[in-house]
């Protein structure tokens, strides 16, 4: 009985989350109503309130799930090896492709800037740990370097998502790691 209930809860939450993301593709959060989300999900308002306090709670739960997934992925790799850095970045990009609709929406202009900041700070902290472990080989302050790499990478990923993920995750991962490790020199000939 409980697994049947769990499936219904998962289905309801998924339907509400997908409907909310679809509406966020069309307009900013401040213009979306609970009524619209419920109508699109074909779920009544009382059911919505049994799962979420409001739209901000719904958004936070979606964002927290993504942050948790990204953190687990980042934590599972050895960032100091170039091959693993490419593989880790490719894995993150594959996750974004698999969750393209929500990822593209959350990283768009209608997305929550606080979520984007959380993603950047998560990546910054992981990269900073790697850079600090290799501090003696760094010509500059690790914190500045990490911020520079993360911000550039996030903007590359936002552009890639916005333009329909035309390149493969592997191609974008290799580009990001090459830019992070070697700057523009490999591209200047």
């Amino acid at each position: 009985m409980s697994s049947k209930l769990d499936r219904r809860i998962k289905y309801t939450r998924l339907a509400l989350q997908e409907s909310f993301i679809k509406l966020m593709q069309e307009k900013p959060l401040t213009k979306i109503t609970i009524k619209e989300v419920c109508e699109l999900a074909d779920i009544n308002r009382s059911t919505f309130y049994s799962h979420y306090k409001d739209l901000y709670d719904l958004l936070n739960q979606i964002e927290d799930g993504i942050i948790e997934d990204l953190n687990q992925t980042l934590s599972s790799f050895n960032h100091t090896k170039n091959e693993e850095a490419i593989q880790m970045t490719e894995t993150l990009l594959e996750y974004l492709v698999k969750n393209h609709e929500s990822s593209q929406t959350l990283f768009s202009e209608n997305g929550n800037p606080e979520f984007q900041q959380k993603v950047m700070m998560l990546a910054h902290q992981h990269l900073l740990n790697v850079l600090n472990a290799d501090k003696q080989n760094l010509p500059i302050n690790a914190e500045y370097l990490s911020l520079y790499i993360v911000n550039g990478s996030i903007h590359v990923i936002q552009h890639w998502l916005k333009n329909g993920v035309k390149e493969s995750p592997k191609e974008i991962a290799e580009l990001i790691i090459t830019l992070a490790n070697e700057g523009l020199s490999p591209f200047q000939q």
Side-chain angles (χ1 to χ4, degrees), residues 174-189:
E174 289 172 347
L175 172 68
I176 287 170
I177 298 303
T178 300
L179 288 169
N181 290 337
E182 303 172 41
L184 294 176
S185 59
F187 305 102
Q188 297 172 333
Q189 296 180 21

Side-chain angles (χ1 to χ4, degrees), residues 96-97 100-110 154-167 172:
L96 296 177
V97 168
H100 181 261
E101 195 170 281
S102 58
S103 299
Q104 195 271 331
T105 302
L106 293 172
F107 280 109
S108 74
E109 57 278 349
N110 286 344
I154 292 290
H155 284 83
V156 166
I157 292 167
Q158 284 177 314
H159 182 76
W160 179 64
L161 288 169
K162 185 177 182 176
N163 290 309
V165 295
K166 294 174 185 158
E167 298 85 357
I172 296 299

Side-chain angles (χ1 to χ4, degrees), residues 22 65 69 72 76 83 93 115 127 163 166 170 173 184:
K22 279 189 186 354
D69 290 345
Q72 286 178 352
S76 67
E83 308 82 44
L93 295 171
F115 167 72
L127 183 55
N163 290 309
K166 294 174 185 158
K170 185 174 182 74
L184 294 176

Side-chain angles (χ1 to χ4, degrees), residues 5-23:
L5 183 62
D6 290 347
R7 277 198 313 255
R8 278 191 277 180
I9 290 170
K10 286 179 184 176
Y11 171 80
T12 300
R13 288 184 178 175
L14 184 62
L16 288 167
Q17 290 174 2
E18 287 176 351
S19 297
F20 181 62
I21 291 296
K22 279 189 186 354
L23 290 167

Side-chain angles (χ1 to χ4, degrees), residues 100-165:
H100 181 261
E101 195 170 281
S102 58
S103 299
Q104 195 271 331
T105 302
L106 293 172
F107 280 109
S108 74
E109 57 278 349
N110 286 344
N112 179 2
E114 289 175 21
F115 167 72
Q116 295 168 17
Q117 189 65 30
K118 284 181 196 175
V119 170
M120 286 195 286
M121 292 315 296
L122 174 69
H124 169 64
Q125 196 56 53
H126 279 276
L127 183 55
L128 196 55
N129 291 340
V130 171
L131 294 173
N132 280 328
D134 193 29
K135 210 172 205 168
Q136 69 272 8
N137 294 327
L138 287 179
I140 63 170
N141 182 307
E143 186 160 346
Y144 291 121
L145 180 58
S146 176
L147 287 169
Y148 181 80
I149 291 169
V150 167
N151 278 287
S153 298
I154 292 290
H155 284 83
V156 166
I157 292 167
Q158 284 177 314
H159 182 76
W160 179 64
L161 288 169
K162 185 177 182 176
N163 290 309
V165 295

